[in-house]
């Protein structure tokens, strides 16, 4: 199967599925916690956004990019139901300023809606702590690649993109980590991404430009595993899709998947060297 077929054949999760876990023999974990688009019926009936509006602010195809990482977690619920990369008290977008100016809901949410959504937040982080504890037992130290994507044509499909100075192809976020402690790991990862022979030319890879890695998941990992866990926020600019229509660019997606897979031995070696 070629890349275009593989992208077009992406299977939808089973109805009601929250996330999918995969476990392998590696000290590297990848997550795609904003990949999901599904909403449970009770929440979707109260949502004031179209599917297209939601998709624009989600991270479609990040699951595809991390698919070659043996340890990976893919979330199937939309961030518009509950955003797992925000603290529990801000995980549901109740005000436009929490959601790029969008009015997410048609009215006030009943408590049973919010409680059910927040229960997913609780369960996710209980699962994540257990999952990473298992990685820690096997490998002592680990890296989590917290993979996301971001828009760069916010003014419209035909508008000029965000200036390149403010929008690298790959933004590495390191705000919540002990940057000095994890420098040997992060620096080798950045160099591996930067030196990858990407179609059309090497990618622009910079640290803490468009985003700083302030998401809740990275903070949680560094708080729970301060000596053993390094969470790197990896934001891909949506060069792999048309952000206003959702159309994927299969060859670019395939190259990004190969790029991420190519960093696995580099990260494993960096962790081993620091033992």
């Amino acid at each position: 199967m070629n890349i275009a077929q593989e992208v077009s054949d992406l299977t939808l999760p089973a109805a009601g599925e929250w996330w999918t876990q995969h476990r392998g023999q590696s000290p590297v974990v990848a997550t795609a916690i904003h990949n999901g688009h599904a909403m449970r019926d009770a929440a979707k009936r109260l949502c004031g956004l179209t599917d297209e509006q939601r998709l624009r602010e989600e991270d479609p195809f990040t699951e595809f990019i991390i698919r070659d990482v043996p340890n990976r977690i893919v979330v199937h619920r939309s961030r518009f139901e509950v955003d797992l990369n925000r603290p529990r008290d801000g995980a549901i977008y109740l005000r436009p300023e929490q959601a790029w100016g969008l009015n997410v809901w048609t009215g006030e949410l009943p408590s049973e809606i919010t409680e059910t959504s927040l229960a997913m937040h609780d369960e996710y982080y209980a699962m994540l702590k257990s999952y990473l504890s298992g990685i820690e037992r096997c490998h002592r130290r680990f890296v989590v690649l917290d993979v996301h994507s971001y828009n760069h044509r916010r003014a419209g499909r035909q508008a000029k993109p965000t200036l390149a100075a403010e929008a690298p192809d790959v933004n590495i976020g390191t705000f919540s980590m002990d940057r000095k402690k994890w420098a040997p790991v992060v620096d080798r990862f950045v160099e591996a991404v930067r030196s990858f022979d990407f179609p059309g030319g090497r990618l622009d890879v910079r640290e803490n430009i468009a985003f700083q890695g302030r998401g809740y998941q990275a903070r949680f990992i560094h708080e729970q595993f301060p000596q053993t866990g390094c969470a790197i926020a990896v934001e891909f600019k949506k060069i792999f899709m048309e952000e206003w229509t959702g159309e994927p660019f299969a060859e670019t997606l395939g190259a990004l998947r190969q790029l991420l897979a190519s960093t696995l031995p580099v990260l494993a070696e960096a962790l081993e060297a620091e033992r």
Side-chain angles (χ1 to χ4, degrees), residues 6 22 30 66 107 125 128 136 151 178 189 208 215 231 241 247:
E6 204 169 349
H22 299 265
I66 72 170
Y125 280 98
L128 183 65
E136 182 188 50
N151 295 320
D178 181 340
F189 175 74
N208 299 331
M241 64 179 291
E247 175 192 358

Side-chain angles (χ1 to χ4, degrees), residues 42-60:
K44 192 171 184 179
R45 282 195 294 269
L46 296 174
C47 183
L49 304 178
T50 65
D51 286 350
E52 291 76 17
Q53 286 176 304
R54 290 195 294 113
L55 188 68
R56 195 170 304 132
E57 301 298 347
E58 295 161 348
D59 295 345

Side-chain angles (χ1 to χ4, degrees), residues 1 3 42 50 63 70 72-73 83 92 100-101 111 136 139 153 174 210 235 247 251 262 271:
M1 181 183 295
I3 292 293
T50 65
E63 179 274 330
R72 60 192 189 277
I73 302 170
D83 190 336
I92 298 175
W100 310 277
S111 59
E136 182 188 50
H139 300 282
R153 291 184 179 275
T174 58
E235 293 266 2
E247 175 192 358
E251 296 303 320
S262 75
L271 286 171

Side-chain angles (χ1 to χ4, degrees), residues 10-212:
L10 290 177
T11 56
L12 294 174
E17 195 168 22
W18 287 0
W19 55 73
T20 301
Q21 303 172 48
H22 299 265
R23 182 70 163 84
Q25 188 61 31
S26 171
V28 182
V29 179
T31 65
I33 62 174
H34 285 160
N35 183 85
H37 185 65
M39 295 182 77
R40 57 196 164 92
D41 290 343
K44 192 171 184 179
R45 282 195 294 269
L46 296 174
C47 183
L49 304 178
T50 65
D51 286 350
E52 291 76 17
Q53 286 176 304
R54 290 195 294 113
L55 188 68
R56 195 170 304 132
E57 301 298 347
E58 295 161 348
D59 295 345
F61 310 113
T62 49
E63 179 274 330
F64 182 84
I65 294 171
I66 72 170
R67 196 176 287 183
D68 292 326
V69 182
N71 301 310
R72 60 192 189 277
I73 302 170
V74 179
V75 173
H76 304 303
R77 288 296 182 89
S78 173
R79 67 188 304 177
F80 285 96
E81 182 174 335
V82 58
D83 190 336
L84 297 177
N85 207 31
R86 298 195 185 182
R88 191 182 194 276
D89 60 3
I92 298 175
Y93 306 152
L94 299 177
R95 302 182 306 278
E97 57 267 30
Q98 295 175 292
W100 310 277
L102 299 171
N103 289 299
V104 176
W105 308 104
T106 56
E108 186 173 348
L109 289 179
S111 59
E112 58 267 24
I113 296 289
T114 59
E115 288 169 7
T116 301
S117 295
L118 291 175
M120 179 181 164
H121 193 282
D122 296 339
E123 291 297 324
Y124 178 80
Y125 280 98
M127 176 279 296
L128 183 65
K129 184 176 181 180
S130 175
Y131 184 99
L132 295 179
S133 294
I135 304 289
E136 182 188 50
R137 283 193 298 273
C138 289
H139 300 282
R140 292 177 54 192
R141 290 153 60 90
F142 60 86
V143 173
V144 177
L145 301 176
D146 182 13
V147 176
H148 298 268
S149 64
Y150 74 98
N151 295 320
H152 64 118
R153 291 184 179 275
R154 286 200 166 274
R157 187 178 181 184
Q158 304 303 324
K160 291 182 178 180
T162 304
L163 293 174
E166 302 169 6
D169 298 321
V170 187
N171 185 96
I172 306 298
T174 58
F175 177 82
S176 70
M177 71 169 64
D178 181 340
R179 183 63 176 84
K180 184 177 180 180
K181 171 183 174 61
W182 293 108
V185 174
V186 176
D187 292 346
R188 288 197 63 185
F189 175 74
V190 170
E191 181 55 32
V193 176
R194 190 174 280 151
S195 61
F196 184 80
D197 187 15
F198 201 81
R202 292 181 177 177
L203 296 176
D204 174 17
V205 184
R206 284 176 282 153
E207 189 173 338
N208 299 331
I209 302 298
F211 300 91
Q212 291 76 44

